[in-house]
Amino acid sequence: MNCAERSRVSAGTILDSCPKLSNDHSMTQTELIQELTNTCRYDKMARPRGEINATDPVKVYVRAYIYTIKSNMAKTLQFDVHMILQYRYLDNRLKFADIAPHLNQIYGGHHVHDLIWTPAVYVSNERSSALVGNNVKDLLVSVDPMGVVTLNTRLQVTLNCGLRLEKFPFDVQECPLIFESWTYNVKDMMLIWDQDPIILADELHLTEYKLVDKWVNMSEVLYTTAQQHYGHFAGNFSTINITFKLAREMGFFMMDYYIPSILIVVISWVSFWLHMDASPPRIVLGTNTILTFMTLASKLENSLPKVSYIKASEVWFLGCTIFLFAAMVEFAFVNTIYRRKKNVPLKKVNSKYILKSTLTPKLARKQFQKNTTGLERSRSWSSLDNATSTTDQDYTSQNYLTVHSFPSTLNIPSVKIDEDKDQECTVGSIVTVNNTSPPKPFSRRATLAQLHNFTTMTPQEIAQWIDRRSRIVFPVAFIIFNIFYWSFIWI
């Protein structure tokens, strides 16, 4: 007798020695489950047969009741889910409709769970992977007369979620919860979502996030022979997953970071209304706003993981820091100009020429002197020509003009002859010149500047002009920065 025949004889002997189940109305649930799971007729290590053919995979229908989601993903990249997970499958070996018709259900906990076959399922993206059924708080098993087993287990799992923080703190995350078959491949067991697979508790509330949406999916995962060192068998294994779409609650960040940072930037603009030479208050105001803002920014960044890309919060803090630093630079620039001694010549009174002449005052003076020197030369040649012409006219007048003297008792009106009209005088005219009032001094510099469209501004006037423009430029620039920033956030 070979080994195969001995095994058949041994199995036949065991089955022959196993007592037959008969209709007994006095049988209790405990007695019934013990009789059904007797080792002579029930093998806990063998999976149930398929619903149609014995070789078909057993179908395990899954449903999840979620009553708590705790999220602390900003720092740990993890979130906790508390749920009741329900498995439902058919095990024909536990059918008792003909044996104990007086019983409607068999209920039990750990004792029944240890007697029957249960699916080996684990959470693949759990922080510390463990088989479902181990380290659980509660178990509830029920078996109906047709052999349908319903296994309810309460789980608390900590899941890893790879966050994308480009738009932090206005980010939306999609975090999956993946269940995967551990022992049986798709030829032996299939995980299928039941009807209404996800049920959320009415009192479910998240602190840092709000649950925007959720959806389920079924798939298969392939493990090769080379991947067995990860602790998994080779082959295709059935997986089901729940994806939670979580949007971060931004009320906390708006009240604690964004609104205070906006107010700090606005406070820095107060220095534009202070006097240009008021160094102590303007320096104290600028340095205090920068230090306060740095403290606020570091408090937020320390609560986040270190990532290689730029976050939206970093763009905001960088932009606000630039505005605060620019306000300090504006004060240093204005104060330096205010303490200058020499006036600045300007070709035109507008932003272009004021800033150009302020930044390069020596170059502006050289340009002014160059223009005025050329103008003085042309003026001197014109004066020389006029003097020569006047000399010739005087000589002619001495030879051809006869000047008559009148009594002093007569009131002769004085005649003022312009320099240009002097050349138009006709020979032989009677001219009387009144020299009682001396001529006014000739202001050459002012006249040359006016003739060449140049004007001058004192350093104090330029400093005040820059402060007045800064009161408008800085708020407008900050508003434009906010428009671009919030447009990027909501796109």
Side-chain angles (χ1 to χ4, degrees):
M1 184 180 296
N2 55 25
C3 295
E5 293 176 352
R6 289 198 190 96
S7 299
R8 286 195 296 270
V9 171
S10 176
T13 305
I14 293 175
L15 291 175
D16 293 340
S17 62
C18 190
K20 294 182 179 181
L21 295 175
S22 59
N23 192 346
D24 188 356
H25 293 277
S26 62
M27 188 177 297
T28 62
Q29 294 185 24
T30 304
E31 294 174 347
L32 178 60
I33 193 64
Q34 288 178 350
E35 289 295 332
L36 292 174
T37 58
N38 195 320
T39 55
C40 63
R41 65 174 61 91
Y42 190 90
D43 186 4
K44 181 182 176 180
M45 300 299 296
R47 68 172 181 86
R49 296 178 299 174
E51 297 179 359
I52 300 177
N53 298 322
T55 57
D56 292 340
V58 57
K59 296 180 180 180
V60 179
Y61 299 90
V62 185
R63 179 183 296 175
Y65 174 76
I66 300 173
Y67 55 90
T68 301
I69 297 179
K70 294 181 180 180
S71 58
N72 187 22
M73 294 188 291
K75 184 67 176 177
T76 62
L77 303 181
Q78 299 169 352
F79 69 104
D80 298 334
V81 179
H82 296 192
M83 73 180 79
I84 295 177
L85 197 61
Q86 183 183 92
Y87 302 101
R88 183 173 60 86
Y89 57 94
L90 176 63
D91 192 347
N92 292 317
R93 296 171 296 179
L94 300 178
K95 183 178 180 180
F96 62 90
D98 299 333
I99 302 173
H102 62 284
L103 295 177
N104 296 325
Q105 290 284 340
I106 298 177
Y107 297 101
H110 284 278
H111 175 67
V112 178
H113 179 270
D114 294 338
L115 294 177
I116 64 175
W117 177 91
T118 55
V121 180
Y122 76 105
V123 181
S124 62
N125 63 328
E126 188 181 7
R127 180 181 179 183
S128 55
S129 180
L131 292 175
V132 174
N134 295 337
N135 301 324
V136 294
K137 294 183 178 180
D138 294 319
L139 281 174
L140 177 62
V141 181
S142 65
V143 183
D144 69 357
M146 301 305 298
V148 177
V149 180
T150 303
L151 171 63
N152 295 318
T153 174
R154 192 167 71 175
L155 299 175
Q156 177 180 352
V157 292
T158 301
L159 304 173
N160 295 320
C161 182
L163 301 185
R164 299 299 301 177
L165 300 174
E166 287 89 351
K167 291 189 176 182
F168 176 87
F170 307 97
D171 52 321
V172 177
Q173 307 295 338
E174 295 182 1
C175 299
L177 171 59
I178 304 173
F179 298 98
E180 184 178 328
S181 174
W182 177 255
T183 307
Y184 300 98
N185 57 27
V186 293
K187 296 181 180 180
D188 295 326
M189 187 179 73
M190 293 289 297
L191 295 176
I192 304 173
W193 284 114
D194 206 345
Q195 296 180 354
D196 298 329
I198 306 298
I199 301 175
L200 300 178
D202 296 334
E203 64 276 9
L204 178 65
H205 178 71
L206 285 76
T207 55
E208 187 178 352
Y209 288 85
K210 61 179 178 181
L211 185 60
V212 178
D213 196 6
K214 64 184 185 304
W215 60 87
V216 296
N217 192 16
M218 296 184 296
S219 61
E220 297 180 6
V221 60
L222 173 64
Y223 291 95
T224 61
T225 306
Q227 293 174 323
Q228 287 189 3
H229 61 276
Y230 291 108
H232 209 296
F233 296 115
N236 290 330
F237 291 84
S238 178
T239 63
I240 56 176
N241 61 75
I242 312 170
T243 302
F244 301 98
K245 188 175 182 179
L246 304 173
R248 193 184 301 272
E249 294 283 1
M250 48 189 175
F252 166 76
F253 297 95
M254 292 296 297
M255 295 302 297
D256 280 30
Y257 295 101
Y258 280 88
I259 293 179
S261 60
I262 292 175
L263 295 178
I264 291 173
V265 174
V266 173
I267 289 173
S268 68
W269 301 339
V270 176
S271 63
F272 303 147
W273 275 264
L274 299 178
H275 194 268
M276 290 78 68
D277 199 31
S279 300
R282 295 186 73 162
I283 291 176
V284 171
L285 180 62
T287 54
N288 285 347
T289 52
I290 291 178
L291 292 175
T292 304
F293 186 78
M294 291 299 179
T295 303
L296 184 69
S298 61
K299 180 181 177 182
L300 176 62
E301 294 301 323
N302 290 335
S303 62
L304 297 175
K306 307 302 179 183
V307 294
S308 58
Y309 48 83
I310 299 176
K311 301 185 289 291
S313 60
E314 295 174 343
V315 174
W316 172 263
F317 288 133
L318 179 61
C320 294
T321 304
I322 292 174
F323 277 96
L324 295 174
F325 181 75
M328 285 289 294
V329 172
E330 191 271 349
F331 158 68
F333 183 63
V334 166
N335 187 260
T336 302
I337 296 173
Y338 182 83
R339 289 184 282 106
R340 289 177 180 174
K341 302 299 182 182
K342 297 181 180 180
N343 295 345
V344 179
L346 301 173
K347 188 174 182 180
K348 291 182 181 179
V349 183
N350 56 26
S351 303
K352 174 183 176 181
Y353 289 100
I354 290 177
L355 293 177
K356 183 178 179 180
S357 301
T358 303
L359 294 174
T360 58
K362 294 183 179 180
L363 183 61
R365 292 192 188 96
K366 289 181 179 179
Q367 182 69 23
F368 175 73
Q369 292 174 0
K370 179 180 179 181
N371 294 332
T372 55
T373 301
L375 192 58
E376 286 176 356
R377 290 177 179 175
S378 63
R379 181 67 178 180
S380 62
W381 283 105
S382 177
S383 300
L384 182 59
D385 294 340
N386 292 334
T388 305
S389 175
T390 303
T391 303
D392 295 339
Q393 292 176 6
D394 290 343
Y395 176 77
T396 305
S397 298
Q398 290 176 3
N399 294 328
Y400 296 97
L401 289 180
T402 301
V403 180
H404 298 275
S405 62
F406 295 90
S408 60
T409 57
L410 296 177
N411 293 327
I412 304 301
S414 61
V415 179
K416 185 179 180 181
I417 300 175
D418 294 336
E419 181 182 356
D420 296 334
K421 292 182 179 180
D422 191 17
Q423 299 177 3
E424 299 177 359
C425 293
T426 307
V427 177
S429 299
I430 300 173
V431 179
T432 302
V433 181
N434 186 7
N435 294 327
T436 56
S437 60
K440 296 181 179 180
F442 176 71
S443 178
R444 176 176 296 179
R445 288 292 180 183
T447 304
L448 292 175
Q450 293 174 1
L451 290 175
H452 203 64
N453 295 327
F454 265 89
T455 184
T456 58
M457 290 182 68
T458 63
Q460 292 74 24
E461 291 175 344
I462 294 178
Q464 189 176 7
W465 180 89
I466 295 175
D467 266 349
R468 287 198 303 266
R469 295 303 184 274
S470 298
R471 298 171 190 172
I472 300 174
V473 172
F474 274 74
V476 171
F478 190 66
I479 291 173
I480 295 174
F481 168 72
N482 275 267
I483 292 174
F484 280 101
Y485 180 82
W486 297 109
S487 299
F488 166 75
I489 292 298
W490 299 115
I491 289 178

